[in-house]
Structures are given as C-alpha cells and as structure tokens.
Amino acid sequence: MCFFFVEHKNKEPRHKRRLLLPGFHGCRESSNQRRPAPCCSCHTAIAICFIADCTSSSLQKMAPDDVNRRSAFRIFHRFPVRLTFGAKSEAKTVTQSKKRQQRENEADDLKRLAERTDILECAWHRRNDDVDEEDLEENLAETEAKNEPNVDIYGDVGSRADNEFEQIGGSTVIMVYICWVMLFVFAYVRDIFRRLGFVADKSNKELEKLKSFVPLFSDFEAFYQRNCYIRVRDVFERPICSVPGATVDLLDRVSHDGNWTYEYPGTTSKVINIASYNYLGFAQAAGPCATASVNSIDEEGVACCTTVHERGRSVSQAKLEALVAEFLGVEDAICFSMGFATNSMNAPCLVDKHSLIISDQYNHASLILGCRLSGASTKVFKHNDMGSLEKILRDAIAYGNPKTHRPYKKILIIVEGIYSMEGSICNLPGIIALKKKYKAYLYLDEAHSIGAMGKTGKGIVEYWSCDPKDVDILMGTFTKSFGSAGGYIAGSKKTIDHLRVASPTGYYSSPMSPPIAQQIYSSMSIIMGRDGTTDGAERIERLARNSRYFRLRLKQMGFIVYGSNDSPVVPMLIYFPSMCGFYGREMLKRKVGTVVVSFPATDMTEGRVRFCISAAHTKELLDEVLRHVGELGERSGSKFSRKAHLYRDQKIEW
Amino acid sequence: MVLAVLSGLFETSLLHLTIEGVLLLTVVYLVFRMNRPNKDRSSHRLTEKQKDELIAEWVPDPLVPETPQDHHVLNPRFADGKMTKNVSIEGQTYLNMASSNFLSFIGESRIEERTKQTIFKYGVGSCGPRGFYGTVDVHLDLEAELAKFLHCEEAVLYSYGFATVSSAIPAYAKKGDIIFADEGVNFAIQKGLQASRSRVEFFKHNDMEDLERILKIQEEKDNKDPKKAAKIRRFLVVEGLYVNTADLCPLPKIIEFNGSTRSVCSSTKAGLLESLERQEERNEGALVVWRLFGILKSLTFPFKMKRGIECERKMIHR
C-alpha cells in the first residue's frame, strides 16, 4: 500500500509559533454594506456540504441492518423469554452449528475477496509482487504489443509512478486542530466585539427594511466567511491584467480595512505564474492560436445568439467536435460552452432514480452536483481504493436499492483522471477491470489530464495504455491545457447522439463562441502535429520533465508532496491554516504567484500550497520558485517529510 | 460526605432499595444487550458465493437508449458566416427571425475590433477559477459597470448564462427553506430549485391569487409553529420575461407580496425590460439575481472571453 505512517518527532516549539494567528487589527468603522455575492469559496463550501451529504446518505444505505437495529421495537425482539414453546433445544444446536459454518464460509469468502481485490491494486501499487498481477500484465503486454512503442517520457507502462500520500504524526494533527480551535475562539471573540459595537461590522448584512426577514446569512458559513476567510482574503482572488503565461502581471491592491474593500493604485507587478492551469502553455496573446481565433471573429462573429437546437452549432464548433473525436480515438464527441456545466448537466441524462452512481471520494463539485441533479442513489468509495470500489459494486448488485428492494437498472462509476487537489492519478486499468467484471459503466473526467498526460497528450487513457473504447464516457475541459473555455464529452456514436438530443444544454444554452472554439481547434491541431512542427510534442515532453523535476526537488528538500510523480498538479502539504496566509503573502513578496488551499476545499488538517506546472516554465523559473519555497520552508518549519533521506543522494535531472 | 450518603442509604427502607436495585440491574442489562451484535443479521446477509451468483445473473440496462437517426438535431444545417439579420444557409440567404440578437450587436465592427485587441492582450482563456488567478481586471470593471447599470450595490459575473441561475439559487436557498416559484419558470431555474434542496411550492403561472393562496397556507403553518417559522427563509422565484410562454411577470403585484418573501427575480431579456427593472429597483427588499443572458447579445458567450465584456462596457455608455 502507499500509505506511510511516520513517527512523530518533537517539533512543538516550532508549532507554537504558528498558533498566534488571529488578531484584532483591521476592523475600522465604515457603514459600507456589501451585497452578498456568491464567491468561489461559497461554492466550495456548498460543494463540501454536498459531499458530506452524499457520504452520510451512502453510509446509511450501506448499513441497512444497523438502521433496523435502531428501531424502537428492538427490545421486544430480545426478550429473554420467548412466547413460543416446544422442543427447541435440538433446533437451536442445529441452527447454531449452521450459523458457525456459515460464518466460517463467510470468513473464507472474505479472505478470497481480499486476495482477489489485491489483483486489482494495479501495477503501480505493488510493483514487486508479480504473482497476482499476471492477468493484468498480460493485458498490458497485449495492448503494448498493439501500440508498439511502449516506453515514453514517463518510463515503462508497467512501472508507472505510484500515488504517494505520506502521513504525518498524530501530534502534528492535534496541533493543527488546536490551531483551528484558536482561530474559532478568536473568531467568536471578534463576533462578540462586533455585536457589542467595539469594532465596525462590515460584513454582509440585511438592509434596514429587511430587518423583519429571516436573516439570509446567519449560519456557520457566513461566520467563517466573516471571521476566518476575510483574514486571508488578500491571498485569494488576485486580479490579473495580462495573459496567464509563465509569468503574469498582477493588479496591485491595498486594503485599509482588513480586506473588506480594496483600493487599486493602478500599478501592476510581474510574478512567476505557478498557479494557472496553463499546462501546455497555450495561454498566449500572440502566435498561431491567437491569430486564428481573431480571424474567426471576422468569419463568424463573436457569438451565435441562439441555442444549439434552434439555429444549430457554429461551424467552428462542428469542426471542433470532429477533431476532438479524432484526437481521442473515439466515434463521436460533443462540446459545451462551460466545463462545469458539462458535468452537472449531462450526468442527469445518463442515469435516473433507478440507477446507482459510485463516485470517488475526491470528485469535483461539478460531478457531485451532477449526481445530485440526476436523482440516482450515490455511493462514495475511498479515494482510488479498488477494494472499496469492488465491495460497493458487489453489494450494490447483490442487495439492490435498499429503499425499493429492486435491483439497480445500471451502475455508473465516476472518477477523475488527475484529482485537482490531490495530484493523484486514477488507477484506470484497475477500474476498467472492475467495470468489465461487474458490467458497470465508466465516466472518466479528464479535466486536468487531457493534453497534459500521455505521450501524445491524449490524457490518462493513453498514459495507462488503455483502450479509449473501454471508457463509456470520456469527459474533459478546454479551460486547462488548451487555454480556452468549455468542455467535451466523447464516446460511442450512440451515446453522443443521445446526449445531443437529450442534454438540456442543447435546448436552453448558446453554442460555443466561434473564437473560443477556434482557439481549441488550433491548439489541439498543434498537439496533434497538424501544423507540421514538433511544437506540440515538445510542449508535452517539457511539461513531463518540469513536473517530475519540480516534484522530486520538493521531496528532496523535505516537503510532503501528494500524488504521483508524473502529475503536473503538485500539492505541497503545509497543514496549518495559518501557514496558508504566510505562504500566499511571502511568495507574493518574492514575486511568485501560488495558490494556497485550506478548509473547506480540503480536509481540515490538510492545508496545502498547490503548484500547477506548465510547459511554459523554464528550468530557471522553476529553480527560482524552488529556492523561494525552500527558504520559506526553513523559516516556517514546514518540511514535514520523513522520507527526504531517500532522495538525498538522488541525482535529479531536468 | 460519603459517610452521610452511606448512613442515608441504611436509613431508607429495604423495599425502596430493592426496587431501585432491580431497576438499575434492568438498565445495565438492557444496555449490554443492545451492544451485543444482532444475531438475526446473518440471515439478511448473503455469502460471497450467493453474491457471485446474483452478479452473474444481473443484466444492466444499456447506458443510453437508441436515438432515431432522423432526429433534426442530428442533422443540423449550418449557417455560413455571422448570424446577423440575414443568414446564409447552404448558399441561400434567409431573413433571420430565429436568433435572439435583439439589439443587433452581432457584426458590429466597433465591438469586434475591441474584441480582437483584447485577445491580443489577454489571450483567450483565463486558465483558472475566479479565486485562483482567474479574475481579470476586465471582470472587475464590468462588474462595477453592471452594478451601476442595474442600480445595485454589487454584481457578480458567471461564465455561462445557463449555469448562472441554477447555481445562484442554491447559493442562497438551503435545506429547510421554502421557495415559491412560478410554474412556468424555465429549465435552468428548475434545475436550480432542484439543487437547492429547499421545499418548492409552485403557483399557477402568473396567477397572483394562487400565490396568495399558498402564502396563506404557509402563514397558517407559521402561526402554529412560530419558533420554527422564524428560521425558515422564503424566496419567490419568477422570470422577467418567460422564455416558455413569452409573457411578462406582473412585478408590481409580486412586490406587494414581498413583505414576507425575498424574491429572486430572473430576467431573461433584461435589456428589453428596462421599465420592469426600474420598478424592481424600487422594491428594495428584492434580492435581484440578474441572469446576464441577453442584456446585450455580445454577452451570450462565456465571460471568460474577456474581450466581449470590455466592448460590452463601452456600448452601455454610448
């Protein structure tokens, strides 16, 4: 397994420094009331609620017997004196022995199940135990034989980099919790002071005329927003004013009232951009892509002003759909104007209330919203855990829907290619094996991996040398690697035809804007080498080198980095919520733009800095970022890893 | 003190002690009984072998049903060039009465020039969500201009018209709240209502008496349980110009009801409904979530295309 439990060493003096985070400064008087705007973090919080809901409901579904046990009448079943009389003793011994036998059988079965499950813990989990992997490797060998060159920039398919989730000691976790408790204690104190009128209340609140209404924001979310998020608001939502390439111009802003309002002096500062999802560096304001999209405005205008069904897609969108299908090696594809809506609006077209969705623990909010809107039962399996997935699949087929006691009509497994917060790569061969065995359908969200992974940029399917036809729904977005906007769904012609007709976005929303579609078309052509250069292949290779180099260097310095070494999403764990503000601000001072994430987007104890590597970064830029991160790591004591010695003597080449 | 308790014990009658003892024992017995695993459970459980059999028997439905190949959506005819007042399809020119280019901004060269300049400055995509380096200065400018245009305190941009209302409703209305909605609201709003997990009460399309009726029913419920009522948020969801039925909502009447309800008013064709907007402003209680769907048509494409927004801004003030 890939979990490492690390002994904790005495680090208290360092952590104590970090505890003093909330202060009282920055709450001066102002009567400026703000209208509540549903910002990004609100949505994240909502998403978290969804996840929590799904999880709790799934737990209930998974243990129907426990629910029975809690029923009010259970006492009557357990009276020591039974109301039936007669020769019972004989029957009792028979049933007892039967039961014992049954239990033994069950234990045996479980053991066998466990063994069988291990087969599916694919190559990269148990690289050295080849005994159980024969089947899988045979399969892989077959596919490799078909696609001749089996070694690419990531190495051999059979020995892909595994996902690492190095765990820290329990006492550090306790320190993180203490940090949160301190944060909330001070937040409450602030709230009390605010209510007493010692400091100005600048938070979102009701207008005078709405006093009689039930307050719109009174719950924990608003409390968190008002007292915790606002303390570090300057780290998020930084406006940019240039193309988000390898470097980006940030619009300078200052706040004189504790981040409630900002003033823009009009100056800008250039920082290294290691935060945007510009994996292949196609966010460019010049060059063939930009020119082509500008030209498409002359041909087709900036918008279509119609819905897809009323007056049809734009010509450029139709061209794009054909290219996407060809790129991915499937029969057909359909494109949508927004990546988020691709998930949330199309999942309901595929499953209904008689179906079951099995969703990964860390799936994106859009997928979870899609699950909710579809009305299907949802169960959640542990992140990338094939054993957990198989158990849920078996139980779901065997027991059916616990509410209606009918078998499910279909089962849809929803996973992502690269998980955007964990940096981990999904175990696609294992999932495909399970999917085939249990006749389930597979929905693969390649939002981050399309373009960025695989030898020719065809995403996680190519990375694992799987057959794209084994995945029923291939979904992806154009926001990331292609430097544009929108999303696609690709698959068999039958599936796509159904979506074309049934998807609500066809009836009610506008088709892709021509210049947006053109940008994707141009960048995808470059990746495919249609422009006659090797620019696309070079970008992919540079990204792979950059990611591996950056990740290994971070690990060598002693940071905990989650995920696979091949993934361009690099979450570096800093655990403490107070460190998020520290890293965000200090990195900006050193002219590096990074993303810091904490609760509610991640687990409470797992605050992190997320780097997104791009093909546009040069080795010099990465070295500069690494130097700054290393210095900050020294200053803040956030080099938590106990595995740095493994990398000490390793020579890391770019 | 312990002594006092002990001596007290001896003073009480034996009967009393016995009854209490028996009660105590019963409680202990029941508690331990409850924690014991339920023996009946094994009979509900299937063995792995039984499961295997069931799995072998199970035949799932196909993922999608068959689609008739002659469906008009599968055989589209593409318009060449821009969708202006005339549109050319397969070489023939037609008068365009189909697209919602109300204010005829498509093909406006001033807008297109500005758009091109913006692409050459910012590129096409923002490569990030709003929170993480995806906010461009143009967004902030447009938000400020929109707020001014709509006479609101602040405005927020979404990248997709369809997703705006369906994610704005669940951002405000939570579980346990009540939404009063018109029957005729469009699909995006219905999805938003579904995602909000609130209790949704539909009233007949544009029928104010029906709305009054369901508000009265709710009032009666509130009177029965005022404590609970004080925690329930209420929302009223109507559409400015109904896209399904093409009629306007009787906003002045709705505002009269607004004493107890927040109204989330989604106006599809806001640019055409200026008079309606003005009425709405007077209703300070209303929480207005504008769907930026058709104010000026250059907005119909995702706002991540910053350039559209910039020219948009220019146009408003001309």
Side-chain angles (χ1 to χ4, degrees):
Chain A
M1 291 302 293
C2 54
F3 288 91
F4 298 89
F5 292 92
V6 179
E7 279 293 316
H8 170 74
K9 284 183 187 162
N10 195 12
K11 294 192 80 179
E12 269 79 354
R14 274 182 188 172
H15 297 317
K16 270 179 190 157
R17 284 210 303 267
R18 283 178 220 128
L19 289 179
L20 292 170
L21 41 122
F24 288 101
H25 61 277
C27 279
R28 258 166 264 144
E29 193 76 40
S30 161
S31 59
N32 184 14
Q33 288 175 341
R34 295 178 74 250
R35 189 169 282 274
C39 70
C40 191
S41 64
C42 285
H43 286 300
T44 328
I46 299 161
I48 298 302
C49 298
F50 285 162
I51 298 173
D53 245 3
C54 293
T55 328
S56 63
S57 59
S58 68
L59 280 178
Q60 276 189 2
K61 278 169 206 154
M62 273 193 276
D65 294 8
D66 288 346
V67 179
N68 284 344
R69 275 181 65 196
R70 266 180 247 126
S71 85
F73 297 102
R74 63 182 179 274
I75 295 166
F76 297 110
H77 297 301
R78 292 183 189 139
F79 270 150
V81 183
R82 303 261 170 191
L83 295 175
T84 49
F85 298 95
K88 251 190 337 184
S89 56
E90 202 185 341
K92 210 175 180 180
T93 50
V94 171
T95 50
Q96 265 184 353
S97 65
K98 243 185 198 171
K99 270 177 191 167
R100 198 179 306 133
Q101 205 182 343
Q102 206 176 344
R103 220 173 297 143
E104 277 166 11
N105 282 347
E106 230 167 273
D108 274 359
D109 284 336
L110 276 177
K111 214 196 258 170
R112 250 182 285 143
L113 173 65
E115 279 165 11
R116 193 172 44 227
T117 309
D118 273 355
I119 301 173
L120 299 161
E121 296 274 331
C122 185
W124 44 283
H125 272 307
R126 309 171 75 232
R127 219 175 304 165
N128 300 323
D129 306 358
D130 287 340
V131 194
D132 290 333
E133 290 167 8
E134 281 168 7
D135 284 353
L136 193 78
E137 285 195 349
E138 264 173 33
N139 283 343
L140 285 177
E142 271 173 34
T143 46
E144 276 163 22
K146 273 181 226 158
N147 324 336
E148 212 179 89
N150 57 351
V151 178
D152 51 37
I153 33 177
Y154 307 104
D156 191 15
V157 176
S159 57
R160 292 292 194 214
D162 44 356
N163 291 328
E164 288 175 28
F165 294 97
E166 187 180 337
Q167 299 295 301
I168 44 162
S171 41
T172 316
V173 174
I174 293 170
M175 295 308 285
V176 178
Y177 276 119
I178 293 174
C179 193
W180 276 107
V181 168
M182 292 296 283
L183 191 62
F184 285 127
V185 166
F186 275 91
Y188 273 106
V189 172
R190 283 168 163 284
D191 244 20
I192 292 166
F193 271 49
R194 207 171 280 149
R195 218 173 297 144
L196 294 176
F198 290 125
V199 284
D201 186 1
K202 307 189 91 183
S203 58
N204 305 330
K205 48 184 183 285
E206 311 298 325
L207 295 171
E208 203 52 47
K209 293 196 173 177
L210 290 172
K211 283 284 182 215
S212 60
F213 280 39
V214 183
L216 197 54
F217 297 97
S218 57
D219 45 3
F220 177 76
E221 204 180 289
F223 169 81
Y224 184 79
Q225 191 88 9
R226 187 164 69 223
N227 296 304
C228 306
Y229 173 71
I230 204 75
R231 313 290 309 148
V232 288
R233 192 178 161 208
D234 57 322
V235 174
F236 304 99
E237 294 170 48
R238 285 181 183 146
I240 61 173
C241 53
S242 76
V243 59
T247 57
V248 65
D249 291 344
L250 291 187
L251 200 61
D252 290 337
R253 54 180 186 182
V254 281
S255 179
H256 301 295
D257 55 359
N259 290 334
W260 287 109
T261 54
Y262 288 110
E263 277 172 27
Y264 299 93
T267 54
T268 61
S269 46
K270 200 181 192 73
V271 300
I272 299 173
N273 179 13
I274 195 139
S276 295
Y277 305 132
N278 177 24
Y279 297 124
L280 290 182
F282 279 111
Q284 289 168 317
C289 297
T291 319
S293 10
V294 163
N295 290 340
S296 79
I297 295 177
D298 283 334
E299 283 161 27
E300 294 185 73
V302 286
C304 294
C305 284
T306 176
T307 71
V308 176
H309 285 191
E310 278 168 16
R311 198 36 269 147
R313 296 160 280 165
S314 56
V315 179
S316 43
Q317 185 174 345
K319 254 168 55 187
L320 176 65
E321 286 175 355
L323 188 75
V324 170
E326 196 190 326
F327 178 60
L328 296 170
V330 290
E331 288 175 6
D332 205 354
I334 175 171
C335 296
F336 303 93
S337 316
M338 187 191 186
F340 191 97
T342 310
N343 276 334
S344 60
M345 291 299 147
N346 289 313
C349 301
L350 301 167
V351 284
D352 55 10
K353 62 178 177 178
H354 303 297
S355 318
L356 173 73
I357 292 175
I358 305 181
S359 157
D360 191 283
Q361 187 185 357
Y362 292 131
N363 270 355
H364 188 252
S366 57
L367 290 167
I368 293 160
L369 182 61
C371 298
R372 282 194 58 76
L373 292 178
S374 71
S377 324
T378 311
K379 283 184 183 176
V380 180
F381 71 96
K382 256 166 70 186
H383 177 55
N384 240 342
D385 184 345
M386 294 303 109
S388 164
L389 174 60
E390 182 169 23
K391 188 173 181 304
I392 292 176
L393 273 169
R394 289 178 72 83
D395 285 352
I397 299 172
Y399 294 113
N401 190 335
K403 276 185 200 153
T404 59
H405 298 286
R406 298 276 181 284
Y408 289 110
K409 291 240 169 99
K410 49 192 165 189
I411 296 177
L412 184 66
I413 304 170
I414 301 187
V415 291
E416 286 186 47
I418 293 182
Y419 291 85
S420 60
M421 282 296 167
E422 313 297 314
S424 51
I425 293 175
C426 87
N427 181 359
L428 194 63
I431 292 168
I432 287 181
L434 278 181
K435 167 214 137 130
K436 282 186 176 164
K437 185 174 172 196
Y438 293 102
K439 294 172 260 180
Y441 300 105
L442 178 58
Y443 185 115
L444 176 65
D445 177 345
E446 293 217 63
H448 286 264
S449 51
I450 189 70
M453 298 300 293
K455 196 176 56 174
T456 56
K458 289 172 191 167
I460 216 76
V461 181
E462 190 188 28
Y463 174 78
W464 283 116
S465 291
C466 292
D467 185 358
K469 297 202 169 68
D470 284 340
V471 184
D472 299 277
I473 312 275
L474 285 158
M475 180 269 165
T477 60
F478 300 125
T479 330
K480 277 98 188 178
S481 298
F482 301 98
S484 188
Y488 68 81
I489 284 184
S492 69
K493 186 163 186 315
K494 189 181 161 193
T495 314
I496 303 303
D497 280 352
H498 172 73
L499 284 180
R500 277 194 207 287
V501 174
S503 172
T505 51
Y507 290 97
Y508 300 98
S509 75
S510 47
M512 257 180 172
S513 162
I516 292 184
Q518 186 58 48
Q519 159 82 16
I520 306 161
Y521 190 89
S522 315
S523 49
M524 199 176 271
S525 306
I526 292 175
I527 295 173
M528 292 165 84
R530 290 272 173 94
D531 60 338
T533 65
T534 53
D535 186 19
E538 279 164 21
R539 281 172 196 257
I540 293 167
E541 190 184 337
R542 212 177 317 136
L543 175 65
R545 282 183 196 286
N546 279 351
S547 315
R548 193 167 266 268
Y549 174 73
F550 194 81
R551 276 178 164 271
L552 287 177
R553 281 289 303 276
L554 276 184
K555 285 183 184 171
Q556 195 177 39
M557 285 196 282
F559 291 104
I560 293 185
V561 181
Y562 274 4
S564 158
N565 277 345
D566 292 332
S567 138
V569 182
V570 189
M572 185 184 95
L573 274 284
I574 48 174
Y575 299 101
F576 291 85
S578 45
M579 291 253 251
C580 291
F582 172 78
Y583 265 89
R585 283 169 197 152
E586 288 295 317
M587 290 300 268
L588 184 65
K589 271 187 207 159
R590 291 152 189 260
K591 301 286 178 210
V592 183
T594 53
V595 167
V596 285
V597 202
S598 182
F599 180 78
T602 66
D603 199 57
M604 217 160 185
T605 57
E606 294 192 343
R608 59 193 71 178
V609 183
R610 189 182 62 180
F611 305 104
C612 288
I613 309 300
S614 163
H617 294 136
T618 58
K619 183 168 179 288
E620 289 70 39
L621 282 182
L622 292 181
D623 281 338
E624 199 182 332
V625 175
L626 284 165
R627 185 167 57 81
H628 293 312
V629 174
E631 281 171 20
L632 290 186
E634 282 300 327
R635 260 180 71 188
S636 61
S638 49
K639 294 181 175 176
F640 294 102
S641 178
R642 292 284 166 275
K643 283 169 58 190
H645 61 277
L646 296 178
Y647 298 93
R648 190 171 296 144
D649 302 325
Q650 191 176 347
K651 202 162 173 260
I652 300 166
E653 284 179 4
W654 179 78
Chain B
M1 203 183 120
V2 181
L3 275 177
V5 171
L6 278 178
S7 60
L9 264 181
F10 285 114
E11 275 165 27
T12 47
S13 69
L14 190 65
L15 182 69
H16 204 128
L17 271 179
T18 325
I19 292 172
E20 278 187 354
V22 168
L23 279 176
L24 192 73
L25 282 176
T26 322
V27 167
V28 169
Y29 174 74
L30 283 175
V31 165
F32 276 92
R33 282 291 294 194
M34 262 178 236
N35 287 344
R36 215 180 285 172
N38 190 348
K39 277 179 190 167
D40 295 339
R41 281 179 69 181
S42 57
S43 61
H44 300 302
R45 293 253 148 215
L46 300 165
T47 61
E48 292 302 319
K49 204 176 161 194
Q50 285 169 319
K51 279 186 196 173
D52 278 332
E53 282 167 11
L54 285 169
I55 289 164
E57 277 170 20
W58 186 61
V59 182
D61 281 8
L63 182 61
V64 290
E66 285 290 344
T67 312
Q69 284 302 308
D70 55 350
H71 196 283
H72 71 97
V73 175
L74 300 182
N75 306 296
R77 296 160 86 193
F78 296 107
D80 314 321
K82 296 173 192 173
M83 300 278 251
T84 50
K85 66 178 176 185
N86 291 318
V87 62
S88 132
I89 298 170
E90 290 169 1
Q92 269 209 307
T93 309
Y94 298 89
L95 185 64
N96 181 6
M97 301 288 280
S99 61
S100 48
N101 181 17
F102 300 121
L103 299 180
S104 188
F105 280 123
I106 295 287
E108 173 72 45
S109 60
R110 282 179 299 173
I111 296 179
E112 287 185 355
E113 275 316 304
R114 207 51 216 267
T115 312
K116 290 174 191 173
Q117 286 168 20
T118 319
I119 289 188
F120 284 135
K121 187 176 177 204
Y122 297 96
V124 176
S126 58
C127 281
R130 286 296 292 270
F132 305 145
Y133 303 89
T135 308
V136 186
D137 50 355
V138 189
H139 297 164
L140 299 177
D141 294 347
L142 176 61
E143 281 177 350
E145 293 290 338
L146 271 174
K148 221 193 266 174
F149 178 64
L150 300 171
H151 297 260
C152 293
E153 286 176 26
E154 274 186 39
V156 61
L157 287 178
Y158 281 74
S159 60
Y160 196 32
F162 187 79
T164 307
V165 74
S166 53
S167 59
I169 291 177
Y172 295 109
K174 300 284 161 64
K175 202 171 187 175
D177 297 344
I178 304 176
I179 299 177
F180 303 104
D182 192 290
E183 266 179 358
V185 291
N186 69 36
F187 187 82
I189 297 181
Q190 286 172 25
K191 284 285 153 193
L193 298 178
Q194 202 183 334
S196 71
R197 292 183 291 169
S198 309
R199 187 155 66 80
V200 183
E201 299 274 359
F202 284 105
F203 58 91
K204 280 182 196 150
H205 177 52
N206 268 350
D207 186 345
M208 290 305 108
E209 281 161 18
D210 199 43
L211 174 60
E212 202 171 350
R213 185 182 61 82
I214 59 169
L215 284 176
K216 282 235 170 79
I217 294 174
Q218 184 57 36
E219 204 181 331
E220 278 167 24
K221 275 188 199 163
D222 290 350
N223 289 339
K224 274 182 201 159
D225 193 355
K227 227 179 200 176
K228 196 179 164 197
K231 282 182 186 161
I232 304 173
R233 284 176 286 231
R234 295 120 216 268
F235 298 88
L236 185 60
V237 177
V238 292
E239 221 175 310
L241 167 57
Y242 285 89
V243 73
N244 295 342
T245 53
D247 44 8
L248 304 176
C249 80
L251 200 61
K253 281 187 196 162
I254 286 175
I255 290 165
E256 284 170 23
F257 290 119
N258 205 37
S260 59
T261 315
R262 291 168 194 282
S263 71
V264 177
C265 187
S266 153
S267 172
T268 331
K269 308 292 185 272
L272 296 179
L273 294 174
E274 191 141 351
S275 58
L276 203 58
E277 276 163 37
R278 299 278 175 250
Q279 287 170 339
E280 188 142 10
E281 281 151 31
R282 260 178 268 133
N283 166 33
E284 283 135 339
L287 178 76
V288 187
V289 178
W290 291 100
R291 226 177 124 206
L292 304 174
F293 195 65
I295 295 189
L296 303 167
K297 272 327 260 197
S298 49
L299 258 185
T300 37
F301 58 106
F303 85 90
K304 273 175 190 159
M305 304 282 300
K306 295 122 265 179
R307 64 207 185 274
I309 287 145
E310 186 140 42
C311 44
E312 165 71 56
R313 184 162 62 92
K314 288 276 175 274
M315 294 315 296
I316 290 172
H317 288 280
R318 239 163 238 173

